[in-house]
Amino acid sequence: MKEEKSNKKIEVINSHLVDNTNRPLTTNDGVHIHDNNNTLKAGERGPSLLEDFIYQDKLAHFDRERIPERVVHARGSGAHGIFEATADISKYTKAKFLQKGTKTPLFIRFSTVAGFKGSTDLARDVRGFSVKFYTEDGNYDLVGNNIPVFFIQDAMNFPDLVHAVKPEPNNEMPQAASAHDTFWDFVSLMPESAHMVMWAMSDRAIPRSLRMMEGFGVHTFKFVNEEGKGTFVKFHWKPKLGVHSVAWQEAQKISGYDSDFHRRDLWEAIEKGNFPQWDLGVQLVPEEDELKYSFDILDPTKIIPEELVPVQIIGTMTLNRNPENFFAETEQVAFDPGRLVPGIDFSNDPLLQGRVFSYADTQNYRLGGPNFHELPINRPINGKYNNQKDGFGRQDILKGNVSYFPNSLGGGCPYHAMLKGESGFESHAEKIDAKKIRGRSSSFADHFTQARLFFQSQSPAEQEHIISAYSFELSKVNSVDVRRRELAILNQIDQKLAKAVGDNLGMEPPKDLDELTVQFARHNHPEYPIEPSKPEVTVSKALTMEVKPGEGSIETRKVAFLVDNGVSKASIDKMKTALEAEGAEAVLISTKVGKIKFKEGGEDEIQFTYLTEASVCYDAFYTPEGDSVKTLAAEPDYFQFINEAYRHCKAIAFAKGAEELIEDTLIKDLDDGIILESKANLTDDFIHIMKGHRIWEREKARKVAV
Ligand code: HDE
């Protein structure tokens, strides 16, 4: 029965699949086309004729093949999957898809925020993390990000934030980048953005893979149980592969070599059967504890530290199927955090409340009208039955003469669930007794304590990366006033951070916040700055991505084997077998595609070359021994691979007979990440170091300029 439900979405999609195999070409009206090369003309050299309906049919469709891209999150990649609930949380929520053992089909769309649809995957940016659950109670969308907080507290500021981060309106530059004046002008006037900006300047904003990101619901939501009791809840997605990022210089290079890097990585992992998985976790706060903390749980610029409220795992998501068609599925999927299923409700977070309006409004525009729910990717698996009809692109055909409620002519159908004793969505009966105001709670006025918590919870290398990111971005800002204003904010967060960034900008961090910043903050809090409450937690381990050698997983990591004719098969196999046992992938790279011959005889197919591949797209490097070493010694691209790998702090291994190549690289110090077969256990040590992701300490040496 459960399997049946989870297959329903596949059925919905399959019933719309078109297979052109063995079909003659037709017009959109099904008329066979005799000639698809020539327009209808008056004579061989004459003008085209208006009556050429075959040409018109083709071009009229083509002319309308683009729809407005999402105003934010335009660049995205999607996948199908399944969610399985694994814990009994019926005490807190009656949501059917969260009841232990229930399997629910889903569609996910990851995205960047600022860039256009065709922009690079590796922009420094927040990543969208949207999941549409096709539950037996209707669709539920958890539309989150890979960063657990947001830039602003109230939805009213959202268009301004987006205008500020998007390319500047006069010259439409820069693309997919926050490193420009208008973004920093805005955030330096909005101290509430300080926490999120800190995350955005951290390596979280340049993930190694979409499969290696956490996801967060960001807002506090509410669970509602059968008795109507509410519990506050925050959602977390924890990736099974761990949380990992690339280095900024590497991200910039990947953008050039393969701007589809994340999309390709996700697609290929699923094609290869390496199905990405995340655990879904929840932090639960009883209603009675709503006001218990030093921060307001309704403020979307705050996290609830995991040390205060632990994350409980309640299920697992597995992505197991690539879309058949990007446009029909990933582009047309319509997410909306403003639609709920029984058992989940909104909290009064003012940002969430604002989102409740915006998404359906966006879809109505972007997808051309009110029938976007009927697109196969958006259809609920339990069907939709109501009296709506008409509108652009209507597909369902409502039978009979009744399209109103109440009715008797249609037998009273579709009927009110309550009339037959069935349940439907009921909003949580929260008591509200208040005056209307346009304003903000003073409990939202502490803007720096959690930004400090984040910075202080980072490893030394992560802190260095944050300093570099602020320095990079603010150096790209032309306005010295804006730079100074942001430095003043940093100084409120952490003086060491402000001083380091200030040094790179040739500026002394101002002691106090800029007058303009204070003036704007006083629009919301007349007494600003307000003395913050003492935080419960000053360091949170959950906020760092640091992983020590031997600790992490190398599953699905790509290891470049740098080879050429005459390479030793035994030397390849030794490493390949060890890596594959850990779930990593060996990729042979050589000077040409086609065959290479092994030293021992026999040959193998080469698909990847130094011309088509880039060092920055691989996780670790191995040079096997053999006659290939002589060829590699004269191959500049080989050294480019190794030098960049060294610069980007990756593990590099050399088989015994290949160690001489190191002489001509830029490797100066033989740190733990350089594994020489003559001095180490080649495979074990290599894997051990790879499990630590990177040897970030190497950056301190800063000796390699590639
Ligand atoms: Fe969105 N957001 N957003 N947002 N958002 C959109 O909807 C909006 C916010 C997020 O993969 C738009 O379909 C407002 C927070 C994701 O298709 C739009 C506010 C979070 C996606 C919109 C926010 C998000 C969107 C643009 C402030 C993290 C991509 C196209 C109140 C929790 C969904 C669209 C996808 C997309 C509005 C703030 C996440 C314009 C008004 C906070 C992942 O409706």
Side-chain angles (χ1 to χ4, degrees), residues 348-359:
N348 294 331
D349 171 342
L351 196 69
L352 174 59
Q353 295 278 321
R355 293 178 75 200
V356 169
F357 162 73
S358 181
Y359 289 69

Side-chain angles (χ1 to χ4, degrees), residues 70-73 109 111 128-130 143-145 150 155 158 217-219 333 335 351 354-355 358-359 362-363 366:
R70 290 165 175 83
V71 63
V72 278
H73 297 267
R109 184 173 177 274
S111 46
F129 197 114
S130 313
V143 192
N145 279 343
F150 203 63
F158 188 67
V218 177
H219 315 278
V333 65
F335 289 98
L351 196 69
R355 293 178 75 200
S358 181
Y359 289 69
T362 292
Q363 311 310 348
R366 199 171 67 80

Side-chain angles (χ1 to χ4, degrees), residues 89-190:
I89 52 163
S90 52
K91 227 167 44 176
Y92 304 106
T93 177
K94 59 183 174 187
K96 291 212 185 96
F97 77 105
L98 294 177
Q99 302 311 315
K100 192 172 174 182
T102 309
K103 287 186 185 163
T104 305
L106 60 87
F107 188 78
I108 193 164
R109 184 173 177 274
F110 300 105
S111 46
T112 51
V113 177
F116 294 180
K117 191 167 170 282
S119 56
T120 174
D121 280 344
L122 262 289
R124 173 176 294 286
D125 202 351
V126 190
R127 299 298 184 290
F129 197 114
S130 313
V131 183
K132 186 182 283 294
F133 297 92
Y134 304 99
T135 88
E136 57 189 287
D137 271 341
N139 291 350
Y140 173 62
D141 296 349
L142 184 52
V143 192
N145 279 343
N146 76 329
I147 291 181
V149 287
F150 203 63
F151 292 103
I152 51 171
Q153 295 172 324
D154 193 294
M156 195 67 129
N157 293 122
F158 188 67
D160 301 294
L161 164 73
V162 174
H163 290 173
V165 71
K166 283 270 177 180
E168 298 191 5
N170 51 347
N171 56 19
E172 200 159 277
M173 290 193 283
Q175 181 55 242
S178 53
H180 59 111
D181 283 56
T182 56
F183 175 73
W184 289 95
D185 185 28
F186 178 81
V187 295
S188 67
L189 292 171
M190 298 280 283

Side-chain angles (χ1 to χ4, degrees), residues 8 31 41 80 178 220 327 367 387 390 404 423 431 472 495 521 599 606 612 625 629 634 637 683:
K8 267 196 190 157
V31 176
K41 301 179 195 75
H80 292 273
S178 53
T220 298
F327 183 87
L367 298 169
N387 299 308
D390 308 352
Y404 51 88
S423 62
K431 188 165 183 301
F472 173 92
Q495 290 175 358
K599 184 174 161 202
I606 290 288
T612 59
E625 60 195 15
V629 170
D637 287 343
T683 53

Side-chain angles (χ1 to χ4, degrees), residues 184 197-198 201 466-474 490 501:
W184 289 95
V197 172
M198 184 74 75
M201 293 304 113
I466 291 173
I467 292 167
S468 300
Y470 274 105
S471 304
F472 173 92
E473 301 253 326
L474 290 170
L490 293 187
V501 176

